[in-house]
Every structure is written in structure tokens, then in C-alpha cells.
Amino acid sequence: MMTEYEMEPVPGLPGLLPKGETIIWQGAPNWRVLARTAFHTGTVAAYFAALTVFALGAALWRGVEAPSDLAGVAITIGGMIVGLALLHLLAWAVARSTIYTLTDRRVVLRFGVALPKCINLPLGIIGNVDLRQRANGTGDLAIKLNSEQRLGYAALWPHARAWHYVEPQPMMRAVPDVDAVATLLARACLSIQTDGRVVPIEAAARRAQAEEQAVAA
């Protein structure tokens, strides 16, 4: 059976690249990190662990004379196993259906397990990018837009910055080697001129370095 993604002319993109546009980087979330950070499997595990301790304490208080007296504990542990398994499966499915693409003109978020979506973010409307790095080298890149167009939080989730409902910020989550990706994104944004022209990324990087040196002097 053919899926929606198998019909993509370029993986992760809704169509062929326009003439002159170049892909700089493509990647997908690390599903294990996504499970912990977006689906909060650690918090869920801690919650069920507390319930298990409570159920065990209650059973010991009443007195344990037969295996059936520990039925509440068994049910709680079973619920924890099933719940965590479902959350990890969902995180795996989300990561498998997601491709983040950075070109010299835009950022593209393709995602959606049941309902495929593709969101194009021209580099010219990116006002700021917040980096959140983790010890294992993965991290999140939250993109703040300077345009008047607003994206729906529900339509973006889980690829949206938490608690930003009024002005949702698209987010590339659980990105491997996030430092390198953030550098590429910064250079790509610098290559976009205010009049919409594109200059080579290397030239933009040299310009930024020269500006930093001038400020330091």
C-alpha cells in the first residue's frame, strides 16, 4: 500500500526544489529523547511509581494473606507498563513520520502520523531561534517568527514550543547534533538580505564575524 510520504518528489518536501534552492541539512527527531521531552515518559513513570508505592502500602496496611490482596499493585504496574509502551510507540511513530529540512531559502517541517502536514517557514520571517541543548548532544530549536501570520498550536504539536499558545513557535525537537544544526540555521538566516536577496552562506558568515570583531574593537 502506498503512503502519502511515498509520493513525495523529494523526501520531506511537498514538491521539487525551485531552481537555485539547495538543501543544507535534513534530519529527524531522536525518538527516545522525543519520548522523554515531548511525551514526558519520565513524569508518567514517576506518577505510576508513586501510585504503586501507595497501593503497596495500602495492601500491607490491610494485611496480605493471599496473592489477590496485591491485585491493586499488579493493576497499577500493568497500567504503567501499557501506558509507557503506548507513549514510546507514539514517540517512535512521530519521529519516523517527521523530517526537518533546512535549505538556503526556508525551513520545512514535515510531520503527521495520521494526517500528514508540511509547514514552510521562509528564512526571511524567522526573527529568533532559541537553542536548548542536552548532555547527549541532542536538543530543541524553537523558531520565533516576525511575521503577522500565526500558526495554530494544535496543528504544530508536538513540534511546538511548550506554553506558547498565543504566539506559537514551531520547534524542531530532539535534533541530533543540535549545535551543528543551529550553526547551519544561523548562517542560512544571515544569508537572507532584507530585500529578499540570497547571498552565499560563507559570505554571510564572514560578514557576521567582521561585525563581531568590530563590536569587540
Side-chain angles (χ1 to χ4, degrees):
M1 183 177 65
M2 181 174 291
T3 66
E4 178 78 13
Y5 300 140
E6 290 174 344
M7 300 176 63
E8 292 176 336
V10 179
L13 298 177
L16 295 173
L17 285 173
K19 186 177 180 180
E21 185 174 3
T22 303
I23 293 178
I24 300 172
W25 171 86
Q26 278 192 318
N30 179 308
W31 74 268
R32 292 180 178 84
V33 177
L34 187 67
R36 294 196 302 270
T37 58
F39 297 98
H40 306 289
T41 51
T43 302
V44 173
Y47 172 76
F48 273 102
L51 288 181
T52 301
V53 171
F54 178 81
L56 181 59
L60 293 175
W61 178 265
R62 293 191 301 267
V64 179
E65 299 178 355
S68 59
D69 295 330
L70 295 175
V73 178
I75 291 173
T76 304
I77 294 176
M80 177 176 64
I81 293 173
V82 172
L84 290 176
L86 290 175
L87 288 175
H88 279 92
L89 178 61
L90 181 58
W92 174 83
V94 169
R96 187 174 183 271
S97 64
T98 298
I99 294 181
Y100 301 134
T101 303
L102 170 64
T103 77
D104 56 358
R105 304 290 179 88
R106 54 183 166 155
V107 174
V108 183
L109 282 65
R110 188 268 267 163
F111 58 92
V113 178
L115 299 174
K117 301 171 186 174
C118 198
I119 296 178
N120 287 278
L121 304 173
L123 297 180
I125 70 171
I126 294 178
N128 189 39
V129 179
D130 289 334
L131 167 64
R132 180 178 182 180
Q133 187 178 16
R134 298 183 177 83
N136 61 359
T138 65
D140 304 327
L141 293 167
I143 301 172
K144 184 177 181 181
L145 307 178
N146 57 19
S147 68
E148 296 182 356
Q149 183 178 1
R150 294 290 179 264
L151 301 171
Y153 186 90
L156 286 170
W157 192 87
H159 310 278
R161 189 173 189 176
W163 311 113
H164 288 69
Y165 303 116
V166 177
E167 296 184 1
Q169 297 181 15
M171 176 180 279
M172 294 192 286
R173 284 187 174 271
V175 176
D177 197 11
V178 71
D179 266 348
V181 178
T183 300
L184 291 174
L185 178 55
R187 290 180 176 179
C189 289
L190 285 171
S191 71
I192 300 297
Q193 304 296 289
T194 56
D195 59 3
R197 293 183 296 109
V198 179
V199 300
I201 291 176
E202 292 78 7
R206 289 195 299 270
R207 183 189 66 196
Q209 185 178 8
E211 291 175 352
E212 292 177 356
Q213 292 175 349
V215 172

